[in-house]
Amino acid sequence: MMMRIERMMRYKGFEMPTAVKSSIGASKHVGDEAKALGVRKVMLVTDKIIYRAGLIHPIEQSLHEAGVTTVLFAEIAGEPDTALVAEGSRRFKEERCDGLVAVGGGSSMDTAKSIGVEAVHDAPLLAYEAAPGKKPLERRIPPLITIPTTAGTGSEVTQWAVIKDPERKIKFNVGGPLIAAHVAILDPELHVSMPPHITAATGLDALCHAIECYTCHYAQPITDAVALLAIEYVAKYIHRAYANGHDLEARHGMAQAAMLAGLSYGSESAGAVHAMAQTLGGMVPVMHGQCVAAMLVPVMEYNWLGEPEKFARIAQALGVDTTRMSVNDAAQAAVREVDRLVRQLNIPTLLEQGVNPEDIERYAQAAFEDPQTVGNPRDIGIEGYRWLYRRCLGLEPST
Ligand SMILES: [Fe+2]
């Protein structure tokens, strides 16, 4: 009880700097949205696969019809690093762009946000890392429109960009309301070509954002509200989106789930799954969503004791009938339900993803130092992370 009162005493706020627009075909409105933001020349930030698939053409056309000139930066391949951001911001300035449109997954959107940071600040992105001793952002990024082509990261509405620092071999965060997109456009038509394994991995990443943000110390009623609906939507739509990529209703539901889960961050961070995934992302070429999906259940096993009532409520949001269960039984039912989901969606194990059990000590140390450790619902130290990585790698039995 003491803890809950302490949490109520923590000074909290919720800002939503991003206008959210959505419909089937919504991305065709991008030209009008850019014009309304007063931009004349945008840098289109996207990845090579999306560019080659032609998803970008109707977006370019809409911008051109609205009288907005475009400069293409289709250089994203894998997880973005500081060099890629520097290259993008150099071109942004050279071409005298005054706005950004990001089309893609988290990598494209986070790169666009980061290019925006370097476009309006004198120091490189690293100077603004969310870490002790670093500077806060000073200026709003240029007008940014995010158009996600996956339903997962929620970067379209989050106040974070996650970028790799190749020197330290870590991923770091830059954040706050000044980095958020001005407009997010959710168009499920752009999601239909996503293959099943990407649908599964990104969808479970969204579920993980909602579960971690709902149960972490930073949670507040407004983030609880969006997190719970995100969990409900994932439970309702992820199987359909996975099994039938052209099910537009399911794609719409998953796009909304990812956005709502992104909002559940508020201005804060997630918890142990993301501390562990961000750690691995800097050291091993894992795909973020897959890595998160493979670690979500072991972390829930560890964490439910810290917030049993909230984990019981997650079970309800996942569709479990908890009426005859005790709070603790219902909390554990949430863990089992997510485990079932991860198995049904064929998520590869961490071992299959190339994570090396011999490096557990290094991973545990780095995860403990990750800022996302701070809000985790159950106290965790290096020993806890050691156990979690061992459990994820099949070296500890399930609890
Ligand atoms: Fe994530």
Side-chain angles (χ1 to χ4, degrees), residues 58-384:
I59 290 164
E60 271 178 324
Q61 195 184 336
S62 166
L63 287 162
H64 295 162
E65 281 170 8
V68 179
T69 311
T70 55
V71 172
L72 186 66
F73 187 69
E75 302 300 326
I76 319 295
E79 310 267 333
D81 63 13
T82 45
L84 183 76
V85 172
E87 166 68 9
S89 63
R90 189 185 60 74
R91 282 202 54 202
F92 185 94
K93 289 174 194 165
E94 220 171 68
E95 297 276 359
R96 297 180 183 278
C97 296
D98 58 4
L100 290 147
V101 174
V103 184
S107 297
S108 297
M109 293 187 279
D110 287 3
T111 303
K113 288 172 173 175
S114 305
I115 290 172
V117 168
E118 291 197 343
V120 295
H121 293 85
D122 295 330
L125 188 74
L126 259 175
Y128 303 97
E129 178 180 356
K134 297 290 184 87
K135 312 189 216 192
L137 293 174
E138 288 149 11
R139 281 185 279 281
R140 186 82 171 100
I141 61 169
L144 165 64
I145 300 174
T146 44
I147 308 178
T149 57
T150 61
T153 69
S155 181
E156 61 272 19
V157 293
T158 66
Q159 298 172 22
W160 294 106
V162 186
I163 300 292
K164 243 193 214 176
D165 175 0
E167 270 190 29
R168 287 183 295 166
K169 288 200 167 78
I170 61 159
K171 284 174 155 188
F172 65 97
N173 305 308
V174 177
L178 294 174
I179 204 176
H182 296 63
V183 175
I185 300 179
L186 310 185
D187 182 352
E189 268 186 347
L190 301 180
H191 297 196
V192 296
S193 56
M194 218 190 320
H197 73 285
I198 305 283
T199 302
T202 52
L204 289 172
D205 185 30
L207 178 67
C208 181
H209 297 157
I211 290 175
E212 293 216 283
C213 294
Y214 178 60
T215 55
C216 78
H217 294 341
Y218 302 116
Q220 52 179 320
I222 196 164
T223 56
D224 287 355
V226 284
L228 282 172
L229 196 63
I231 295 167
E232 278 186 25
Y233 274 27
V234 171
K236 186 168 178 187
Y237 293 115
I238 196 167
H239 291 101
R240 280 169 55 186
Y242 175 75
N244 177 8
H246 285 81
D247 183 337
L248 274 174
E249 188 193 343
R251 291 295 194 188
H252 175 77
M254 286 306 296
Q256 296 289 327
M259 179 272 293
L260 292 167
L263 288 182
S264 72
Y265 271 94
S267 300
E268 304 296 349
S269 59
V273 184
H274 274 77
M276 293 171 73
Q278 205 155 297
T279 293
L280 292 178
M283 301 180 185
V284 188
V286 286
M287 176 197 162
H288 174 76
Q290 262 184 359
C291 178
V292 160
M295 297 193 295
L296 177 55
V297 171
V299 175
M300 288 177 77
E301 280 177 13
Y302 179 88
N303 274 348
W304 74 265
L305 279 166
E307 282 286 355
E309 282 170 10
K310 281 201 148 181
F311 276 86
R313 183 70 184 82
I314 289 170
Q316 292 170 350
L318 289 168
V320 177
D321 180 1
T322 61
T323 41
R324 292 176 197 282
M325 293 184 193
S326 67
V327 169
N328 285 0
D329 285 349
Q332 288 173 285
V335 184
R336 279 197 304 278
E337 193 59 20
V338 175
D339 187 38
R340 210 155 60 101
L341 205 50
V342 169
R343 287 171 199 275
Q344 285 166 342
L345 298 177
N346 294 311
I347 297 296
T349 64
L350 272 197
L351 268 180
E352 288 165 341
Q353 293 182 41
V355 177
N356 186 355
E358 287 176 12
D359 286 333
I360 284 177
E361 199 51 45
R362 198 158 64 101
Y363 301 150
Q365 180 73 42
F368 177 64
E369 286 164 11
D370 188 282
Q372 297 179 99
T373 287
V374 179
N376 195 60
R378 179 172 171 186
D379 293 343
I380 184 161
I382 293 176
E383 184 50 43

